[in-house]
Amino acid sequence: MRLKLISVFLLGSLLAGTPVSAQKKEQKSVLKKGPNVSLNITSKKKFPQRTYSNLGLFSNYPCLNGVGINAISSLQHYNAYGLQISGLTNVAGLKSTGVQISGIANVTGKRACGFIFSGLTNVTGTSAYGMSVAGLGNISGGDIKGMGIAGLVNVSEDFRGVAIAGLANVNKDVQAGLILSGLMNVSGTSSRGVQLTSLLNVTGKSNEGWQLAGLGNVSVENKGVQSALLNYSVENKGVQLGIGNVNTKSDARGYQIGIINVSTDSTAHQIGCINLKPETRVQMIISGGNANKGSLSIRFKNKFTYTQIGAGAYYLGTDRPVSVSGFYRAGVYHSLTKKLDLSADVGYYHIESLDKKNQGIPARLYALEPRISLEYSLTKKFGLFVSGGYGWTRTYKGNHAFDQKMVFEAGMVLF
C-alpha cells in the first residue's frame, strides 16, 4: 500500500511538472519578431536566446548580453544588458541595464538602470535608475532614482535624486532631492527636498523641504520653507519668506517673514511691514505736527504691536516750502485702561523736496523719528492721540546731517 502511494505521488509530480516545462519553452516574446539586418554572435542554448555581439543596420532579437550597435534601430524582446547604440531608437521589452544611446528615443518596457542618453526622449515603463539625459524629455511610468536631465520636461510618479529640466519637472507623488527647472516644478503629493525654479513651485499636499522660486510657491501644507515673491499655503507650519505671504487655515502656528503677511491663524508669528490676522484692526489716522504738517495713514493694530504706513506734507523750516513725504512706522503698545493706550514706535520718512535745489535743499532726504504716544478712545471707532519724540533728518547722498529737533504730533484715530 505504501509503495502504491509513493508511485502515485511521483507520477503526479511528473505530470504536474510537464506543462510547466512546456510553458517555459513556449513562452511568447513581449515584442513581435521583425527583420534583422545585422551580424550577430548568439547563443541558442539558453532561453531566451542571448546575443553577445550585434552590428548592423537594424536588429530584432530576444536578448542582448554584450554590445549592440545599429545604424537605425535596436530592438530586444526581453532584456538588454551591456551597451546598446543606435542612430534612431533603442527598445528593450523588459529591462535595460548598462548604457543606451540613441538619436531619437530609448524605450524600456519595465526598468532601465545605468546611463540612458537620447536626442529626444527616454521612456521607461516602471522605473529608471542612474542618469537619464534627453533633449526633449524623460518619462517614467514609475519612479526615477538618480539624475534626470531634459531640455523640456521630466515626468515620473516619484523622483528621488536630481532632476534638471528647461521647462518643468512633474512628479505624481513624491519628490525627494533636488528639482531644478526653468519655469515650473510640480509634485502631486509631497516635496521632501529642494524645488528650485524661476517661476512657480506647486506641491499638491505637503512641502517638507525648501521651495525656492522667482515668482511663487504653492502648497496645501507647508512644513518646510517657502521662498519667493509670493508664498501661499492652506496650512503653514513652517516658514514663509517673501514679499507677500498667505496662510488660509487657522491653528498652523507657522512663521511669516515679508512685506505683507496674511494669515487666518491668530497664533501665527509674523514679521513684516503689514501683518494681518483675524484679530488685526485696520484704522485710519489723520494727524499733523511740527514735522509732518499734515498726514493720512493706515494703521494695522494687533494684540501688542502695530505697523503704520502713510503719506504727508513734511516741514523743513519756516523759511523753506513744505515738502512731501512717505513714511512707515512700527511699534508696540500697552493698554493702561480700557480706553487709554501707551505706545512707543520708530518711524522712517522718505522726503521729496520737489526739486528745490536752488534754495539749498537736496532733492531727497530721509528722517528717523522715535516717539512715545498716548491714545484715548472716545468710542469704539473714534479716538484722539498725542505724540512726542525726536527726529533726525539727513541726506541720502553722503549721509550728511540736515536737521534735528524735537517732534510733536496730534491727531484722530478712525475705525
Side-chain angles (χ1 to χ4, degrees):
M1 184 66 178
R2 181 178 297 178
L3 181 61
K4 288 183 179 179
L5 289 175
I6 294 175
S7 301
V8 171
F9 176 77
L10 292 176
L11 181 60
S13 299
L14 181 61
L15 293 175
T18 302
V20 173
S21 176
Q23 184 179 357
K24 184 176 180 181
K25 291 181 180 180
E26 295 174 1
Q27 183 179 1
K28 294 183 180 180
S29 300
V30 176
L31 300 175
K32 294 182 179 180
K33 294 182 179 180
N36 185 15
V37 183
S38 63
L39 299 175
N40 304 301
I41 298 177
T42 302
S43 173
K44 298 182 179 180
K45 295 181 179 180
K46 297 181 179 181
F47 181 84
Q49 296 178 1
R50 271 48 164 190
T51 297
Y52 301 107
S53 178
N54 164 249
L55 178 64
L57 292 177
F58 48 86
S59 60
N60 188 304
Y61 51 86
C63 287
L64 173 67
N65 284 54
V67 178
I69 301 174
N70 292 270
I72 298 176
S73 65
S74 176
L75 185 148
Q76 281 74 53
H77 304 170
Y78 298 95
N79 304 318
Y81 299 103
L83 175 63
Q84 193 178 17
I85 302 176
S86 69
L88 297 182
T89 59
N90 290 313
V91 178
L94 295 179
K95 299 177 183 179
S96 170
T97 302
V99 179
Q100 282 185 318
I101 301 175
S102 69
I104 293 181
N106 293 306
V107 180
T108 303
K110 289 189 176 181
R111 186 188 68 189
C113 181
F115 176 76
I116 308 169
F117 175 84
S118 72
L120 291 182
T121 307
N122 293 315
V123 180
T124 55
T126 57
S127 58
Y129 297 86
M131 178 179 287
S132 300
V133 182
L136 183 63
N138 292 306
I139 301 173
S140 176
D143 56 0
I144 297 178
K145 295 181 180 180
M147 179 178 288
I149 302 174
L152 288 182
V153 295
N154 290 308
V155 179
S156 66
E157 188 163 314
D158 294 328
F159 193 95
R160 304 173 189 274
V162 179
I164 301 173
L167 182 63
N169 292 302
V170 180
N171 302 291
K172 180 184 176 183
D173 291 325
V174 178
Q175 174 260 319
L178 172 64
I179 294 286
L180 173 65
S181 74
L183 293 181
M184 180 180 293
N185 294 309
V186 178
S187 293
T189 56
S190 64
S191 172
R192 299 171 186 171
V194 178
Q195 288 183 320
L196 177 61
T197 184
S198 64
L199 186 62
L200 184 66
N201 290 313
V202 178
T203 300
K205 187 177 180 181
S206 175
N207 170 46
E208 301 173 16
W210 183 20
Q211 288 182 312
L212 177 60
L215 180 59
N217 294 308
V218 178
S219 67
V220 174
E221 183 181 19
N222 177 44
K223 296 181 179 179
V225 179
Q226 291 181 315
S227 303
L229 290 177
L230 301 173
N231 298 302
Y232 172 83
S233 67
V234 176
E235 186 174 1
N236 178 37
K237 295 182 179 179
V239 178
Q240 292 179 317
L241 178 62
I243 301 299
N245 302 305
V246 179
N247 156 227
T248 59
K249 187 176 181 179
S250 61
D251 299 327
R253 301 178 183 272
Y255 291 83
Q256 293 179 319
I257 303 172
I259 304 300
I260 301 175
N261 300 310
V262 181
S263 178
T264 58
D265 177 16
S266 59
T267 64
H269 307 280
Q270 296 176 320
I271 301 174
C273 296
I274 298 174
N275 301 310
L276 297 174
K277 298 181 183 179
E279 64 185 18
T280 301
R281 190 173 179 182
V282 181
Q283 299 170 307
M284 179 181 291
I285 297 178
I286 302 172
S287 62
N290 67 329
N292 242 5
K293 300 299 289 183
S295 67
L296 180 66
S297 61
I298 302 295
R299 183 172 70 181
F300 305 91
K301 191 175 182 180
N302 289 298
K303 190 173 183 180
F304 302 109
T305 63
Y306 64 89
T307 57
Q308 185 177 338
I309 186 168
Y314 205 84
Y315 181 68
L316 296 174
T318 56
D319 57 339
R320 295 162 179 162
V322 173
S323 301
V324 297
S325 67
F327 62 90
Y328 172 79
R329 307 194 70 88
V332 296
Y333 73 94
H334 175 68
S335 296
L336 301 176
T337 67
K338 289 183 178 181
K339 292 190 175 184
L340 184 63
D341 291 344
L342 175 66
S343 63
D345 61 33
V346 176
Y348 172 83
Y349 290 76
H350 171 76
I351 305 165
E352 291 283 344
S353 63
L354 304 179
D355 197 21
K356 298 182 178 68
K357 294 181 180 180
N358 295 331
Q359 302 179 34
I361 303 174
R364 296 174 182 84
L365 304 112
Y366 74 93
L368 297 175
E369 292 184 6
R371 69 182 188 182
I372 297 175
S373 304
L374 280 174
E375 180 181 327
Y376 186 79
S377 300
L378 296 173
T379 68
K380 290 184 178 181
K381 295 186 178 181
F382 180 77
L384 300 173
F385 77 92
V386 292
S387 299
Y390 203 85
W392 293 269
T393 306
R394 305 182 70 89
T395 62
Y396 282 108
K397 188 175 182 180
N399 196 29
H400 300 302
F402 182 82
D403 187 23
Q404 61 183 51
K405 60 186 177 183
M406 294 289 295
V407 292
F408 304 95
E409 192 171 358
M412 300 179 295
V413 180
L414 306 176
F415 315 120

